[in-house]
Amino acid sequence: MFHALVAGGIVFPGLFLLAKNSLKRLPWLQWDEADAVIISARLVSSVQAVMASTAGYIVFSSCHHVLDDQHWLTSAYTQFAVPYFIYDIYAMFLCHWHKYRVKGHEGAGPRSLRTVTRAFLHKELLMVLHHLCMVLVCFPVSVLWRQGKGDFFLGCMLMAELSTPFVCLGKVLILYKRQHTLLHKVNGLLMLVTFFCCRILLFPYMYWAYGRQAGLPLHRVPLALPPACNLGAALLLAPQLYWFGLICRGAARLFRRARPKDAATATAALRNGHGPGGRALD
């Protein structure tokens, strides 16, 4: 356990520092500190997500019995990923701090530090609680309470990270005012689909998989499980539903803005004496 924890504590902060310094020093980029920090944090999150979803798929596809089958990668990657959640809280705060300074609050005194910390916790409280829960609750449960059971389900949970690279790219595109691009729209669609499949449908799928193994219909599975399992699933699903709602609202706003713009373009064309395809009106 110790080696995996130490490796994670070196890899994720080390990758962040390497990416940040490279983005600042590469001659064709030479980004400033704020841009380098924000992009590097998103890059590390995406790398971790790819690693987690790959490990999850390997475990998921290897465990044919949902309770008894085991795979060494389950415990190894769980331990390796713990330092990431600790690092990511700091990285999120650092990104927030640089956004705060960019908005004209360059005076970094004790009062401004308290102010930006308070604003960070107000904005990212749910994400901070999620990360702390991963470290203080989910990690001990997966290592101690499971007693080697349910590697299949942990593999499923790791695959939930598949949506993270699209979330990170979407945030970067919004930050740099690229909401109007085709890349942003395609990424938004992929983010919506992967988030829904890997973070929302994941939970009924795991209940269905257990029911198939135990010979139970889906609607009877919750009654057959210990209350702690249902409570844990509900607590994990709740923030995913909240974030999915935010994603849907963002997508709706994006397409609402696009429609009036298209309508305005068509109206202007008609006023200039041209039809919808650029054809002159008789």
Side-chain angles (χ1 to χ4, degrees), residues 207-208 210-211 216-231:
Y207 275 73
W208 173 83
Y210 178 84
L216 295 171
L218 179 60
H219 67 277
R220 292 184 56 190
V221 172
L223 300 176
L225 292 174
C229 293
N230 293 317
L231 177 61

Side-chain angles (χ1 to χ4, degrees), residues 64-250:
H64 302 292
H65 194 286
V66 300
L67 286 181
D68 296 335
D69 284 357
Q70 295 182 346
H71 195 284
W72 66 270
L73 199 53
T74 308
S75 58
Y77 192 83
T78 301
Q79 295 156 22
F80 177 72
V82 166
Y84 164 76
F85 292 103
I86 301 171
Y87 142 81
D88 197 46
I89 293 175
Y90 171 73
M92 288 191 301
F93 174 79
L94 206 57
C95 292
H96 189 84
W97 171 258
H98 281 289
K99 291 176 186 176
Y100 178 82
R101 288 174 63 86
V102 165
K103 290 180 180 177
H105 304 282
E106 285 81 6
R111 181 174 298 178
S112 65
L113 179 60
R114 288 195 297 270
T115 302
V116 74
T117 301
R118 204 159 38 239
F120 166 71
L121 291 175
H122 177 75
K123 181 180 180 182
E124 302 287 356
L125 180 60
L126 185 58
M127 186 64 76
V128 171
L129 291 176
H130 171 269
H131 281 29
L132 291 176
C133 180
M134 290 293 108
V135 175
L136 300 177
V137 179
C138 293
F139 173 65
V141 165
S142 66
V143 172
L144 303 174
W145 182 74
R146 286 192 315 119
Q147 298 179 345
K149 299 286 188 180
D151 281 16
F152 171 87
F153 297 111
L154 271 181
C156 291
M157 297 299 294
L158 287 174
M159 285 195 296
E161 290 292 325
L162 186 62
S163 63
T164 299
F166 303 111
V167 174
C168 291
L169 179 57
K171 289 182 178 180
V172 170
L173 292 173
I174 290 173
L175 180 65
Y176 292 102
K177 311 298 183 185
R178 294 293 184 268
Q179 298 98 316
H180 61 283
T181 61
L182 177 62
L183 175 60
H184 183 260
K185 293 177 181 178
V186 172
N187 180 76
L189 179 61
L190 291 173
M191 177 175 63
L192 198 67
V193 172
T194 54
F195 198 100
F196 180 70
C197 293
C198 298
R199 293 179 179 258
I200 307 298
L201 288 183
L202 173 70
F203 289 90
Y205 170 76
M206 290 193 295
Y207 275 73
W208 173 83
Y210 178 84
R212 184 184 61 174
Q213 190 80 65
L216 295 171
L218 179 60
H219 67 277
R220 292 184 56 190
V221 172
L223 300 176
L225 292 174
C229 293
N230 293 317
L231 177 61
L235 292 176
L236 289 173
L237 177 61
Q240 312 305 327
L241 291 172
Y242 172 74
W243 287 321
F244 184 68
L246 294 181
I247 292 173
C248 291
R249 284 168 53 189

